[in-house]
Amino acid sequence: MTRRQATRRHRSVRRLQATSAGLATGLLVTGLLAAPARANSPTDTSPGPEAPIGTVARTVGDARFEPGPCPRTPEPIEALDGARCGTLTVPENRAEPSGRTIELGVAIVPAATDKPKPDPIVWLAGGPGDDAVGEAKMAIDGGLNRDRDVIFMSQRGTYSADPNLLCPNIDAFNARSVGLVYDAPSTGRLHVDATKACRDRLAGRGIDLGAYNDTESAADYEDLRKALDIKQWNLFGISYGTHLALVYMRLHPEGLRSVGIDGILPPSKAGSAATWSSARQGFDGLFKACADQPACNKRYPNLSATFDRLVRELEAKPVTTTVTLPGSDKPVKVVLDGGALVNWMTSATHVAPQVPAALDELAHGKPQRIAQQWAGGKLSPQAMGRVAHGLVYGVFCSEWTPYESEDAALRGGQATFPSFPRSVQAQAPQLTFLHPDCDVWNVPPASPSIRDVTRGDIPTLALSGGFDSQTGADNGPYVGRTLSKAKVVTVPYEPHVVFATSKCAQDITVSFFDDPAAPKTECLKSLKAPEFEIGS
């Protein structure tokens, strides 16, 4: 989920931070499952039975795949050179199959071997709101295409889909908000105004905002599998993509050989309270790693208490400073209050070696490092014009807020960080002002079944990071208890989405798709904590 952005160790990983006007990582009540294929035979212009995946135009039911140009991306992606591409056309709302259609960009990166396995891997992007095609470099750099084709499809509403549900005005607000008190009521009103302006503009284009959710997206991917004439494939989802993967597994299990999920966000527990729990786990993991290193513990004793004290002090008396960002000499005003510090820390586990020194600097009247990182995430080119905020709110406002009260954030904060001020506890990390945003987004609630636990025997690799403060490591065992063939792995000392930052995690993942019953995890034994920066 992505709303509030801070520094990233890997720029292409979209986290659960609210990227929408207050957030960043819904459905219609009935009729959203994929329509059954029509009785007539699918149209197929296949040149022959051995044609590579993605080179054949084919219609199945209400969906059609057409080979064609590769989807657009903000920058060239070398990993897509030589990809086979095209477009999947599906109904916008499957409850109205004769209504408008949407187009989703598809890119298939061939396997590195001359004899690929028949079951490709499908990449499910983070967010909500990230375009999977834009994450191709991460997937290929991690070796996913060693033996299998890897398929990337723009989830409905994302950057290269038609229509896309981008909201540049929200990106502009997020950039401007670094100079505002993070959780002030006045900031909340501006936040919700930006959300409403986005909603009004998209609805004015005739877009059915209630059709951008996990149930429809899962059906899109199932339609793609059938249109590409693939008997079985594998899923690999990161961050929010794990949320979508778990829904897909529940609704369309028949075409799945195996599933990898990394940075796990279970739909059955997703919401404000869960983000507080995840923050606690990630923060404590980092603080403990510092305490276990003699040099770090000596220089920064009781780092957890220092952090708690800074949250309280900044919430009572915010600090205002001015910083310049890389590539610009224009000064940027930054306000750091308690809420801003908590949300900075949620992403700062991606630069864990810096965190103790940065907090110590702040405690001694030097807020510049944290201010620069906090502002840099929101003003970076990667934060502008790329996130499909319409999909963000489509998911959150139909699948989350109808099933969790606004008070859940406060209760979650009180339970996990009892020393924090009430104003900080009331705004869950990454999900600030979520309920007011969803009030103005105004989409129908999903069927209650969207919150069901995913059960079954599909082989599943459940990956988490020991420093993950966005989707806590306890989500791995949580999903594993109802998936009889799950392999639960926590990679120590790693932040959210371990595949992006850990060679060990990449090796485990590739070995899992080779043999889902026996992923190779020996590399975990050699991992060591990062060496923390020690200031003078």
Side-chain angles (χ1 to χ4, degrees):
M1 345 168 196
T2 36
R3 265 204 195 174
R4 304 269 186 183
Q5 298 174 324
T7 339
R8 300 176 178 175
R9 271 173 71 182
H10 196 297
R11 287 290 183 181
S12 61
V13 177
R14 178 71 56 186
R15 303 192 168 75
L16 194 63
Q17 285 176 284
T19 52
S20 295
L23 199 122
T25 310
L27 334 158
L28 300 176
V29 176
T30 57
L32 295 188
L33 300 185
R38 293 170 182 150
N40 58 301
S41 300
T43 61
D44 188 342
T45 58
S46 171
E50 301 303 320
I53 295 171
T55 59
V56 175
R58 196 163 184 266
T59 298
V60 178
D62 294 315
R64 178 168 179 79
F65 175 78
E66 191 78 46
C70 286
R72 70 187 185 109
T73 57
E75 298 93 16
I77 298 178
E78 187 177 351
L80 295 176
D81 293 348
R84 304 184 296 270
C85 298
T87 302
L88 182 74
T89 302
V90 294
E92 182 179 49
N93 185 339
R94 288 177 173 81
E96 301 175 5
S98 60
R100 76 184 271 173
T101 59
I102 60 176
E103 295 183 354
L104 311 176
V106 179
I108 304 167
V109 175
T113 179
D114 291 334
K115 296 182 178 180
K117 302 289 176 62
D119 46 284
I121 297 170
V122 182
W123 181 274
L124 301 180
D130 284 356
D131 193 325
V133 181
E135 295 178 348
K137 174 177 169 51
M138 191 199 316
I140 304 309
D141 284 354
L144 278 191
N145 72 323
R146 190 188 69 184
D147 300 307
R148 290 173 169 80
D149 293 351
V150 182
I151 300 174
F152 304 89
M153 183 170 75
S154 308
Q155 189 179 351
R156 55 174 50 211
T158 58
Y159 183 86
S160 61
D162 184 14
N164 67 57
L165 274 61
L166 309 180
C167 288
N169 75 296
I170 287 180
D171 299 326
F173 171 80
N174 286 337
R176 183 163 63 96
S177 70
V178 301
L180 305 174
V181 175
Y182 181 83
D183 50 21
S186 56
T187 302
R189 288 190 291 272
L190 294 172
H191 187 289
V192 174
D193 286 347
T195 301
K196 186 176 186 304
C198 169
R199 195 239 189 251
D200 290 347
R201 183 177 63 83
L202 295 177
R205 290 165 49 194
I207 295 170
D208 181 356
L209 296 177
Y212 291 80
N213 54 58
D214 282 337
T215 298
E216 291 284 11
S217 288
D220 293 340
Y221 280 95
E222 183 65 359
D223 279 349
L224 178 66
R225 183 182 69 83
K226 294 175 180 176
L228 294 178
D229 199 20
I230 297 171
K231 182 179 180 180
Q232 275 196 323
W233 62 12
N234 309 274
L235 302 182
F236 187 68
I238 63 167
S239 191
Y240 157 74
T242 69
H243 192 284
L244 177 56
L246 289 163
V247 172
Y248 190 127
M249 292 168 72
R250 188 168 56 79
L251 298 180
H252 307 285
E254 60 275 6
L256 296 177
R257 170 183 176 265
S258 69
V259 177
I261 47 178
D262 177 3
I264 302 165
L265 179 62
S268 52
K269 63 184 286 192
S272 296
T275 65
W276 277 120
S277 172
S278 293
R280 177 90 270 177
Q281 293 174 64
F283 298 174
D284 285 354
L286 191 155
F287 296 149
K288 183 179 185 302
C290 174
D292 289 344
Q293 274 182 29
C296 190
N297 190 48
K298 180 179 179 180
R299 179 64 182 82
Y300 309 112
N302 206 350
L303 196 59
S304 178
T306 299
F307 175 70
D308 283 8
R309 175 175 58 82
L310 287 170
V311 170
R312 295 193 302 272
E313 291 177 354
L314 289 175
E315 191 68 4
K317 189 177 181 180
V319 168
T320 300
T321 188
T322 300
V323 298
T324 56
L325 302 178
S328 173
D329 57 3
K330 182 180 179 182
V332 177
K333 174 189 171 184
V334 180
V335 176
L336 295 177
D337 64 346
L341 185 63
V342 169
N343 281 268
W344 165 80
M345 184 68 182
T346 303
S347 282
T349 50
H350 287 262
V351 288
Q354 297 184 40
V355 167
L359 289 173
D360 185 70
E361 290 168 3
L362 180 62
H364 289 86
K366 298 177 181 178
Q368 284 74 24
R369 187 194 317 221
I370 290 177
Q372 188 176 58
Q373 292 178 353
W374 177 237
K378 293 187 176 186
L379 277 74
S380 71
Q382 289 80 11
M384 301 295 169
R386 304 188 184 191
V387 176
H389 300 279
L391 179 59
V392 174
Y393 288 124
V395 172
F396 292 166
C397 301
S398 65
E399 302 178 26
W400 293 16
T401 57
Y403 302 105
E404 184 183 61
S405 72
E406 190 166 2
D407 288 342
L410 177 62
R411 293 196 300 270
Q414 290 171 334
T416 53
F417 293 94
S419 69
F420 283 1
R422 184 184 177 93
S423 55
V424 175
Q425 295 168 337
Q427 301 294 342
Q430 316 165 69
L431 299 174
T432 318
F433 308 116
L434 179 59
H435 272 265
D437 280 337
C438 286
D439 287 344
V440 300
W441 200 255
N442 191 26
V443 290
S447 165
S449 64
I450 197 64
R451 307 286 295 189
D452 287 352
V453 169
T454 300
R455 303 177 184 276
D457 61 358
I458 298 169
T460 304
L461 175 65
L463 282 170
S464 300
F467 286 178
D468 188 346
S469 54
Q470 294 164 292
T471 56
D474 67 347
N475 287 333
Y478 173 82
V479 299
R481 64 190 175 87
T482 56
L483 296 170
S484 63
K485 295 182 180 178
K487 305 295 182 182
V488 177
V489 176
T490 297
V491 183
Y493 317 121
E494 290 293 337
H496 185 55
V497 183
V498 295
F499 188 88
T501 56
S502 168
K503 179 64 166 60
C504 179
Q506 294 169 357
D507 291 345
I508 292 170
T509 301
V510 173
S511 73
F512 168 76
F513 288 120
D514 276 349
D515 182 1
K520 298 177 181 178
T521 60
E522 294 82 2
C523 60
L524 293 170
K525 299 175 184 177
S526 62
L527 298 181
K528 297 180 181 179
E531 185 174 339
F532 290 97
E533 175 186 329
I534 305 298
S536 56

